[in-house]
């Protein structure tokens, strides 16, 4: 179990990037918060494997309705990382097991 941050450190409709140590080496990921939804995904686009963020800690469209890849603009659903538009349509981000525990976002890996 890895504590990432306090929930308050991710505003509603925002994202935050992290790098955590795993047995397989560093893992780059991000956490998004939108209403009651807390989700974490590996920071790797299924198209070419590049990072998704277009600025530090910025992974969402301007209206926070979807995740967007900075490289070619693929769009992914917030709730499950499914790509519904772009060169990797039909694929998905790798979801990671994040949850809330005592007001903190934790990763169960
Ligand atoms: S690398 Fe993400 S859409 Fe091409």
């Amino acid at each position: 179990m890895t504590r990432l941050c306090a929930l308050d450190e991710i505003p509603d409709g925002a994202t935050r990037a992290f790098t955590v140590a795993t047995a397989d080496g560093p893992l780059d990921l991000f956490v998004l918060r939108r209403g009651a939804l807390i989700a974490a995904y590996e920071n790797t686009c299924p198209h070419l494997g590049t990072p998704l963020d277009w600025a530090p800690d910025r992974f969402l469209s301007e209206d926070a309705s979807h995740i967007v890849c900075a490289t070619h603009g693929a769009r992914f659903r917030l709730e499950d990382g499914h790509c519904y538009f772009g060169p990797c349509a039909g694929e998905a981000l790798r979801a990671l097991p994040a949850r809330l525990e005592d007001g903190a976002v934790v990763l169960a890996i």
Side-chain angles (χ1 to χ4, degrees):
M1 189 81 66
T2 303
R3 183 188 188 281
L4 296 175
C5 67
L7 178 63
D8 293 350
E9 294 176 61
I10 307 176
D12 192 9
T15 48
R16 185 166 167 188
F18 300 90
T19 300
V20 299
T22 74
D24 298 324
L27 172 64
D28 294 323
L29 64 111
F30 67 98
V31 174
L32 71 84
R33 176 182 183 190
R34 178 98 196 266
L37 174 67
I38 298 290
Y41 298 102
E42 185 175 4
N43 185 8
T44 302
C45 182
H47 180 214
L48 294 181
T50 57
L52 297 152
D53 40 321
W54 49 272
D57 293 320
R58 306 296 294 270
F59 294 81
L60 303 184
S61 59
E62 223 166 273
D63 63 357
S65 67
H66 57 273
I67 300 156
V68 61
C69 175
T71 305
H72 302 115
R75 297 178 187 177
F76 305 87
R77 292 192 301 230
L78 301 179
E79 62 273 22
D80 60 7
H82 174 80
C83 179
Y84 64 91
F85 174 86
C88 46
E91 298 185 60
L93 302 177
R94 178 183 167 213
L96 299 168
R99 64 170 187 258
L100 280 180
E101 205 170 284
D102 298 327
V105 181
V106 300
L107 198 61
I109 58 171

